[in-house]
Amino acid sequence: MFMQFNINKKASMLMWTLFMMMAPLSIYMMLSNKTTLIEWVLFNISSTPIMMTIIIDPVGALFSSTVIMISANVLQFSTTYMGHDKFIDRFTVLVLLFVLSMNMLIFFPHLIILLLGWDGLGLVSFILVIYYQNPKSLGAGMITALTNRIGDVMLLLSIAWTLNQGQWNIVHMWETGFWNWQSAAIMLAAMTKSAQMPFSSWLPAAMAAPTPVSALVHSSTLVTAGVFLLIRFYPLMSSTPWFNPLLLLIAVSTTTMAGLSAMTECDMKKIIALSTLSQLGMMMAAMGLGMVNLAYFHMVTHALFKALLFICAGTLIHSHMHSQDLRWMGNITTQMPTTTSCFILANMALCGAPFMSGFYSKDMIVESSIFYSNNFIMLTIILFTVSLTSFYTTRFSLATIWGPSNCNPFIWLEENKSLTTPMLILSSMSTISGSALIWVMSMNQEPLTIGPVMKNMPMIMVMTGLLVAWYMNTQQLKLLPVMMQIPLTHHASCLMWFLTPLSSQFTMKTPMLISHNYLKNLDQSWLELLGGQGVASSSFLASNSMMNMFNTKPVNYLMMPSILVLLTLTLL
């Protein structure tokens, strides 16, 4: 009876109902700019109350509405993409559990209860990554789970270091003697969940999950949980002198590495994952520069157009017999017009094309970093990564939309209602959300007075990356980028600056050798001789030798047990 209910067909409707309830609340909270705290005491330990706290503020309400809307579209998309799966209802329940964990993380500012949502995200993400149950998915799931487990341990340590305050509410915390250690622990936890260097390798590996999982989990919710945690803690953590410079350095390194790696990648989902990594670095860089409102603004707009990009990519993968290689695709303009249009819109928003949602947040981050006095090297690298984004986006579009088709001629490209409806909804949101949010959100943004050249510098870098990518990818192979001509740099780019082997095979090699030597030298040698198996084999050999010494008569078989008993008693 439970299987006949068809959860997968009702889940999208449930999410849309919740969105209709959350959207008016989030608009009201943003317009009024109010924060509501609901607290009740669960129990007391001596004189310390353990309270359940719910915070309803503009930041949490808007982000929750975004997550619910994206999950409604992704669940509708999954009814076609996962339609042939016998266990689609189990998949839908896992996605709903993920949305529940994300909302627990958003609305509970209590560190101990927030840990439930934090751990729930990691556990459900691991189950969804290993959903296809093959060795590649299991390896990717283990990297994902173990990397996120580092963040869980850091949160547990920060809970222990907050014990002397007598409460774990984020809103009411103050600086203590352990505050430097606690800041480092929270920052490490956010870095693991948001895949910042050196914990970046799990995000492209997690693309082994089904595409609806990638559209929801690895674009807009799980990876932004670390950014959201830092936004919650930012008023307190920004007082630590080393926090902002260190966060800026890590974020700029991450976004540069991801942009360079996406230039040489051929797996469609990995390119989008690396672009997610690049945009997460941009959010962290904005926070490192002190622009926390702009980081949050970019997080919301990025969630919308990145989910759209994953759904468009999922439609292409579904139509190409679940192949993810760019080199097998091309010329989808005439056969898939809706997907092509939405795909171009998502790429334009990602690059920061004027009047798209990504333009308002990304352009404002770059302009603010130019206006305020910052490190010139960091500013140059940020501008360089803007051109890298347009470079790999143009290469991506040339291979899938305008390039020649290299796939099997018998492949049927389809666009049914379950595929086009989520794309059209998310593309409209990716177009209007940036301007709508900048009108509604309460941001104390100072007027920026900069020259026309610096004002247009983000668009100049975008156009530079676009033209260079167009020229290099439409000419002969001799004009390939320098990174693809030199073997070392090509391998470094494909392996994310060697972070992939360093975080997986390299770390497992020494423990594997130690355990293998232990198995050979102890378990299969001395422990076998001295253990029960060795004693049994030696007694068996002794009895056989004694039987060979005497005549084999029936009385000898009767005497052997008594002799063994006498020997045992003598030894005791």
PDB file of all heavy atoms in Angstrom, residues 519-546:
ATOM      1  N   LEU A 519      48.818  -7.792   8.328  1.00  0.00           N
ATOM      2  CA  LEU A 519      48.104  -9.023   7.972  1.00  0.00           C
ATOM      3  C   LEU A 519      49.085 -10.155   7.687  1.00  0.00           C
ATOM      4  O   LEU A 519      48.891 -11.297   8.139  1.00  0.00           O
ATOM      5  CB  LEU A 519      47.216  -8.751   6.747  1.00  0.00           C
ATOM      6  CG  LEU A 519      46.389  -9.926   6.217  1.00  0.00           C
ATOM      7  CD1 LEU A 519      45.274 -10.260   7.195  1.00  0.00           C
ATOM      8  CD2 LEU A 519      45.799  -9.592   4.855  1.00  0.00           C
ATOM      9  N   LYS A 520      50.171  -9.847   6.963  1.00  0.00           N
ATOM     10  CA  LYS A 520      51.121 -10.909   6.593  1.00  0.00           C
ATOM     11  C   LYS A 520      51.988 -11.336   7.775  1.00  0.00           C
ATOM     12  O   LYS A 520      52.246 -12.528   7.962  1.00  0.00           O
ATOM     13  CB  LYS A 520      52.011 -10.407   5.444  1.00  0.00           C
ATOM     14  CG  LYS A 520      51.302 -10.296   4.114  1.00  0.00           C
ATOM     15  CD  LYS A 520      52.294 -10.115   2.964  1.00  0.00           C
ATOM     16  CE  LYS A 520      53.087  -8.852   3.112  1.00  0.00           C
ATOM     17  NZ  LYS A 520      53.988  -8.635   1.938  1.00  0.00           N
ATOM     18  N   ASN A 521      52.467 -10.368   8.574  1.00  0.00           N
ATOM     19  CA  ASN A 521      53.448 -10.682   9.619  1.00  0.00           C
ATOM     20  C   ASN A 521      52.817 -11.176  10.910  1.00  0.00           C
ATOM     21  O   ASN A 521      53.463 -11.916  11.658  1.00  0.00           O
ATOM     22  CB  ASN A 521      54.304  -9.442   9.919  1.00  0.00           C
ATOM     23  CG  ASN A 521      55.139  -9.031   8.728  1.00  0.00           C
ATOM     24  OD1 ASN A 521      55.541  -9.872   7.930  1.00  0.00           O
ATOM     25  ND2 ASN A 521      55.365  -7.727   8.578  1.00  0.00           N
ATOM     26  N   LEU A 522      51.593 -10.743  11.215  1.00  0.00           N
ATOM     27  CA  LEU A 522      50.979 -11.134  12.484  1.00  0.00           C
ATOM     28  C   LEU A 522      49.789 -12.063  12.277  1.00  0.00           C
ATOM     29  O   LEU A 522      49.786 -13.199  12.750  1.00  0.00           O
ATOM     30  CB  LEU A 522      50.545  -9.881  13.250  1.00  0.00           C
ATOM     31  CG  LEU A 522      51.661  -9.017  13.831  1.00  0.00           C
ATOM     32  CD1 LEU A 522      51.077  -7.799  14.501  1.00  0.00           C
ATOM     33  CD2 LEU A 522      52.478  -9.818  14.836  1.00  0.00           C
ATOM     34  N   ASP A 523      48.809 -11.597  11.540  1.00  0.00           N
ATOM     35  CA  ASP A 523      47.561 -12.349  11.450  1.00  0.00           C
ATOM     36  C   ASP A 523      47.744 -13.666  10.710  1.00  0.00           C
ATOM     37  O   ASP A 523      47.129 -14.676  11.057  1.00  0.00           O
ATOM     38  CB  ASP A 523      46.505 -11.491  10.754  1.00  0.00           C
ATOM     39  CG  ASP A 523      45.114 -12.019  10.989  1.00  0.00           C
ATOM     40  OD1 ASP A 523      44.880 -12.572  12.079  1.00  0.00           O
ATOM     41  OD2 ASP A 523      44.262 -11.891  10.088  1.00  0.00           O
ATOM     42  N   GLN A 524      48.564 -13.650   9.654  1.00  0.00           N
ATOM     43  CA  GLN A 524      48.747 -14.874   8.868  1.00  0.00           C
ATOM     44  C   GLN A 524      50.001 -15.652   9.255  1.00  0.00           C
ATOM     45  O   GLN A 524      50.326 -16.635   8.598  1.00  0.00           O
ATOM     46  CB  GLN A 524      48.804 -14.509   7.377  1.00  0.00           C
ATOM     47  CG  GLN A 524      47.498 -13.961   6.840  1.00  0.00           C
ATOM     48  CD  GLN A 524      47.595 -13.552   5.377  1.00  0.00           C
ATOM     49  OE1 GLN A 524      48.689 -13.525   4.812  1.00  0.00           O
ATOM     50  NE2 GLN A 524      46.460 -13.241   4.779  1.00  0.00           N
ATOM     51  N   SER A 525      50.737 -15.229  10.304  1.00  0.00           N
ATOM     52  CA  SER A 525      51.946 -15.966  10.697  1.00  0.00           C
ATOM     53  C   SER A 525      51.919 -16.305  12.180  1.00  0.00           C
ATOM     54  O   SER A 525      51.511 -17.401  12.571  1.00  0.00           O
ATOM     55  CB  SER A 525      53.190 -15.159  10.325  1.00  0.00           C
ATOM     56  OG  SER A 525      53.158 -13.900  10.970  1.00  0.00           O
ATOM     57  N   TRP A 526      52.354 -15.376  13.050  1.00  0.00           N
ATOM     58  CA  TRP A 526      52.497 -15.692  14.473  1.00  0.00           C
ATOM     59  C   TRP A 526      51.148 -15.931  15.147  1.00  0.00           C
ATOM     60  O   TRP A 526      51.024 -16.837  15.989  1.00  0.00           O
ATOM     61  CB  TRP A 526      53.240 -14.563  15.191  1.00  0.00           C
ATOM     62  CG  TRP A 526      54.686 -14.491  14.833  1.00  0.00           C
ATOM     63  CD1 TRP A 526      55.287 -13.585  14.037  1.00  0.00           C
ATOM     64  CD2 TRP A 526      55.695 -15.421  15.235  1.00  0.00           C
ATOM     65  NE1 TRP A 526      56.629 -13.857  13.907  1.00  0.00           N
ATOM     66  CE2 TRP A 526      56.914 -14.992  14.648  1.00  0.00           C
ATOM     67  CE3 TRP A 526      55.706 -16.565  16.029  1.00  0.00           C
ATOM     68  CZ2 TRP A 526      58.106 -15.663  14.823  1.00  0.00           C
ATOM     69  CZ3 TRP A 526      56.899 -17.242  16.218  1.00  0.00           C
ATOM     70  CH2 TRP A 526      58.081 -16.797  15.625  1.00  0.00           C
ATOM     71  N   LEU A 527      50.143 -15.136  14.811  1.00  0.00           N
ATOM     72  CA  LEU A 527      48.845 -15.327  15.458  1.00  0.00           C
ATOM     73  C   LEU A 527      48.214 -16.658  15.070  1.00  0.00           C
ATOM     74  O   LEU A 527      47.468 -17.257  15.856  1.00  0.00           O
ATOM     75  CB  LEU A 527      47.908 -14.164  15.110  1.00  0.00           C
ATOM     76  CG  LEU A 527      48.247 -12.816  15.746  1.00  0.00           C
ATOM     77  CD1 LEU A 527      47.250 -11.763  15.319  1.00  0.00           C
ATOM     78  CD2 LEU A 527      48.266 -12.923  17.261  1.00  0.00           C
ATOM     79  N   GLU A 528      48.503 -17.143  13.858  1.00  0.00           N
ATOM     80  CA  GLU A 528      47.977 -18.443  13.463  1.00  0.00           C
ATOM     81  C   GLU A 528      48.684 -19.572  14.200  1.00  0.00           C
ATOM     82  O   GLU A 528      48.066 -20.572  14.568  1.00  0.00           O
ATOM     83  CB  GLU A 528      48.112 -18.627  11.950  1.00  0.00           C
ATOM     84  CG  GLU A 528      47.089 -17.834  11.144  1.00  0.00           C
ATOM     85  CD  GLU A 528      47.058 -18.262   9.697  1.00  0.00           C
ATOM     86  OE1 GLU A 528      47.839 -19.164   9.347  1.00  0.00           O
ATOM     87  OE2 GLU A 528      46.258 -17.693   8.940  1.00  0.00           O
ATOM     88  N   LEU A 529      50.005 -19.406  14.423  1.00  0.00           N
ATOM     89  CA  LEU A 529      50.756 -20.454  15.129  1.00  0.00           C
ATOM     90  C   LEU A 529      50.417 -20.492  16.615  1.00  0.00           C
ATOM     91  O   LEU A 529      50.298 -21.566  17.213  1.00  0.00           O
ATOM     92  CB  LEU A 529      52.258 -20.234  14.947  1.00  0.00           C
ATOM     93  CG  LEU A 529      52.829 -20.513  13.544  1.00  0.00           C
ATOM     94  CD1 LEU A 529      54.281 -20.123  13.494  1.00  0.00           C
ATOM     95  CD2 LEU A 529      52.657 -21.998  13.196  1.00  0.00           C
ATOM     96  N   LEU A 530      50.269 -19.301  17.220  1.00  0.00           N
ATOM     97  CA  LEU A 530      50.039 -19.239  18.662  1.00  0.00           C
ATOM     98  C   LEU A 530      48.563 -19.262  19.022  1.00  0.00           C
ATOM     99  O   LEU A 530      48.226 -19.403  20.199  1.00  0.00           O
ATOM    100  CB  LEU A 530      50.682 -17.974  19.233  1.00  0.00           C
ATOM    101  CG  LEU A 530      52.207 -17.853  19.037  1.00  0.00           C
ATOM    102  CD1 LEU A 530      52.693 -16.519  19.541  1.00  0.00           C
ATOM    103  CD2 LEU A 530      52.931 -19.002  19.739  1.00  0.00           C
ATOM    104  N   GLY A 531      47.687 -19.071  18.061  1.00  0.00           N
ATOM    105  CA  GLY A 531      46.260 -19.027  18.342  1.00  0.00           C
ATOM    106  C   GLY A 531      45.622 -20.396  18.337  1.00  0.00           C
ATOM    107  O   GLY A 531      46.291 -21.441  18.387  1.00  0.00           O
ATOM    108  N   GLY A 532      44.307 -20.405  18.281  1.00  0.00           N
ATOM    109  CA  GLY A 532      43.560 -21.665  18.332  1.00  0.00           C
ATOM    110  C   GLY A 532      43.834 -22.559  17.146  1.00  0.00           C
ATOM    111  O   GLY A 532      43.944 -23.795  17.297  1.00  0.00           O
ATOM    112  N   GLN A 533      44.006 -21.970  15.959  1.00  0.00           N
ATOM    113  CA  GLN A 533      44.267 -22.784  14.778  1.00  0.00           C
ATOM    114  C   GLN A 533      45.628 -23.471  14.873  1.00  0.00           C
ATOM    115  O   GLN A 533      45.775 -24.638  14.515  1.00  0.00           O
ATOM    116  CB  GLN A 533      44.197 -21.901  13.527  1.00  0.00           C
ATOM    117  CG  GLN A 533      44.262 -22.686  12.220  1.00  0.00           C
ATOM    118  CD  GLN A 533      44.091 -21.791  11.002  1.00  0.00           C
ATOM    119  OE1 GLN A 533      43.819 -20.611  11.177  1.00  0.00           O
ATOM    120  NE2 GLN A 533      44.237 -22.332   9.823  1.00  0.00           N
ATOM    121  N   GLY A 534      46.656 -22.725  15.392  1.00  0.00           N
ATOM    122  CA  GLY A 534      47.977 -23.324  15.537  1.00  0.00           C
ATOM    123  C   GLY A 534      47.996 -24.438  16.568  1.00  0.00           C
ATOM    124  O   GLY A 534      48.624 -25.483  16.360  1.00  0.00           O
ATOM    125  N   VAL A 535      47.313 -24.230  17.706  1.00  0.00           N
ATOM    126  CA  VAL A 535      47.260 -25.270  18.747  1.00  0.00           C
ATOM    127  C   VAL A 535      46.542 -26.507  18.223  1.00  0.00           C
ATOM    128  O   VAL A 535      46.973 -27.650  18.452  1.00  0.00           O
ATOM    129  CB  VAL A 535      46.555 -24.714  20.000  1.00  0.00           C
ATOM    130  CG1 VAL A 535      46.295 -25.819  21.019  1.00  0.00           C
ATOM    131  CG2 VAL A 535      47.401 -23.609  20.617  1.00  0.00           C
ATOM    132  N   ALA A 536      45.455 -26.311  17.479  1.00  0.00           N
ATOM    133  CA  ALA A 536      44.708 -27.449  16.936  1.00  0.00           C
ATOM    134  C   ALA A 536      45.553 -28.235  15.935  1.00  0.00           C
ATOM    135  O   ALA A 536      45.581 -29.482  15.962  1.00  0.00           O
ATOM    136  CB  ALA A 536      43.417 -26.939  16.272  1.00  0.00           C
ATOM    137  N   SER A 537      46.267 -27.530  15.061  1.00  0.00           N
ATOM    138  CA  SER A 537      47.084 -28.234  14.062  1.00  0.00           C
ATOM    139  C   SER A 537      48.254 -28.962  14.716  1.00  0.00           C
ATOM    140  O   SER A 537      48.601 -30.088  14.324  1.00  0.00           O
ATOM    141  CB  SER A 537      47.590 -27.246  13.006  1.00  0.00           C
ATOM    142  OG  SER A 537      48.396 -26.259  13.607  1.00  0.00           O
ATOM    143  N   SER A 538      48.892 -28.336  15.746  1.00  0.00           N
ATOM    144  CA  SER A 538      50.018 -29.012  16.420  1.00  0.00           C
ATOM    145  C   SER A 538      49.545 -30.240  17.185  1.00  0.00           C
ATOM    146  O   SER A 538      50.214 -31.287  17.183  1.00  0.00           O
ATOM    147  CB  SER A 538      50.724 -28.032  17.354  1.00  0.00           C
ATOM    148  OG  SER A 538      49.815 -27.547  18.333  1.00  0.00           O
ATOM    149  N   SER A 539      48.392 -30.157  17.875  1.00  0.00           N
ATOM    150  CA  SER A 539      47.869 -31.347  18.567  1.00  0.00           C
ATOM    151  C   SER A 539      47.480 -32.433  17.578  1.00  0.00           C
ATOM    152  O   SER A 539      47.669 -33.637  17.840  1.00  0.00           O
ATOM    153  CB  SER A 539      46.661 -30.953  19.418  1.00  0.00           C
ATOM    154  OG  SER A 539      45.621 -30.440  18.599  1.00  0.00           O
ATOM    155  N   PHE A 540      46.977 -32.025  16.401  1.00  0.00           N
ATOM    156  CA  PHE A 540      46.632 -33.002  15.374  1.00  0.00           C
ATOM    157  C   PHE A 540      47.876 -33.712  14.860  1.00  0.00           C
ATOM    158  O   PHE A 540      47.896 -34.948  14.699  1.00  0.00           O
ATOM    159  CB  PHE A 540      45.908 -32.274  14.236  1.00  0.00           C
ATOM    160  CG  PHE A 540      45.489 -33.170  13.106  1.00  0.00           C
ATOM    161  CD1 PHE A 540      44.444 -34.074  13.264  1.00  0.00           C
ATOM    162  CD2 PHE A 540      46.138 -33.102  11.882  1.00  0.00           C
ATOM    163  CE1 PHE A 540      44.066 -34.891  12.221  1.00  0.00           C
ATOM    164  CE2 PHE A 540      45.751 -33.931  10.832  1.00  0.00           C
ATOM    165  CZ  PHE A 540      44.717 -34.825  10.996  1.00  0.00           C
ATOM    166  N   LEU A 541      48.975 -32.949  14.635  1.00  0.00           N
ATOM    167  CA  LEU A 541      50.234 -33.558  14.202  1.00  0.00           C
ATOM    168  C   LEU A 541      50.813 -34.473  15.280  1.00  0.00           C
ATOM    169  O   LEU A 541      51.349 -35.551  14.980  1.00  0.00           O
ATOM    170  CB  LEU A 541      51.237 -32.454  13.844  1.00  0.00           C
ATOM    171  CG  LEU A 541      50.966 -31.672  12.557  1.00  0.00           C
ATOM    172  CD1 LEU A 541      51.918 -30.498  12.444  1.00  0.00           C
ATOM    173  CD2 LEU A 541      51.108 -32.586  11.342  1.00  0.00           C
ATOM    174  N   ALA A 542      50.725 -34.041  16.560  1.00  0.00           N
ATOM    175  CA  ALA A 542      51.259 -34.883  17.658  1.00  0.00           C
ATOM    176  C   ALA A 542      50.506 -36.206  17.759  1.00  0.00           C
ATOM    177  O   ALA A 542      51.113 -37.283  17.936  1.00  0.00           O
ATOM    178  CB  ALA A 542      51.160 -34.113  18.965  1.00  0.00           C
ATOM    179  N   SER A 543      49.193 -36.151  17.640  1.00  0.00           N
ATOM    180  CA  SER A 543      48.414 -37.382  17.735  1.00  0.00           C
ATOM    181  C   SER A 543      48.711 -38.306  16.565  1.00  0.00           C
ATOM    182  O   SER A 543      48.820 -39.533  16.730  1.00  0.00           O
ATOM    183  CB  SER A 543      46.931 -37.054  17.785  1.00  0.00           C
ATOM    184  OG  SER A 543      46.520 -36.417  16.577  1.00  0.00           O
ATOM    185  N   ASN A 544      48.897 -37.746  15.367  1.00  0.00           N
ATOM    186  CA  ASN A 544      49.215 -38.585  14.212  1.00  0.00           C
ATOM    187  C   ASN A 544      50.583 -39.246  14.361  1.00  0.00           C
ATOM    188  O   ASN A 544      50.762 -40.422  14.019  1.00  0.00           O
ATOM    189  CB  ASN A 544      49.195 -37.742  12.928  1.00  0.00           C
ATOM    190  CG  ASN A 544      47.781 -37.504  12.440  1.00  0.00           C
ATOM    191  OD1 ASN A 544      46.856 -38.211  12.828  1.00  0.00           O
ATOM    192  ND2 ASN A 544      47.607 -36.490  11.607  1.00  0.00           N
ATOM    193  N   SER A 545      51.558 -38.460  14.869  1.00  0.00           N
ATOM    194  CA  SER A 545      52.894 -39.047  15.057  1.00  0.00           C
ATOM    195  C   SER A 545      52.866 -40.150  16.118  1.00  0.00           C
ATOM    196  O   SER A 545      53.537 -41.178  15.970  1.00  0.00           O
ATOM    197  CB  SER A 545      53.886 -37.950  15.430  1.00  0.00           C
ATOM    198  OG  SER A 545      53.496 -37.329  16.634  1.00  0.00           O
ATOM    199  N   MET A 546      52.101 -39.961  17.188  1.00  0.00           N
ATOM    200  CA  MET A 546      51.999 -41.005  18.211  1.00  0.00           C
ATOM    201  C   MET A 546      51.300 -42.239  17.665  1.00  0.00           C
ATOM    202  O   MET A 546      51.668 -43.377  17.995  1.00  0.00           O
ATOM    203  CB  MET A 546      51.242 -40.459  19.422  1.00  0.00           C
ATOM    204  CG  MET A 546      52.037 -39.409  20.199  1.00  0.00           C
ATOM    205  SD  MET A 546      51.161 -38.792  21.632  1.00  0.00           S
ATOM    206  CE  MET A 546      51.228 -40.246  22.670  1.00  0.00           C
TER     207      MET A 546
END
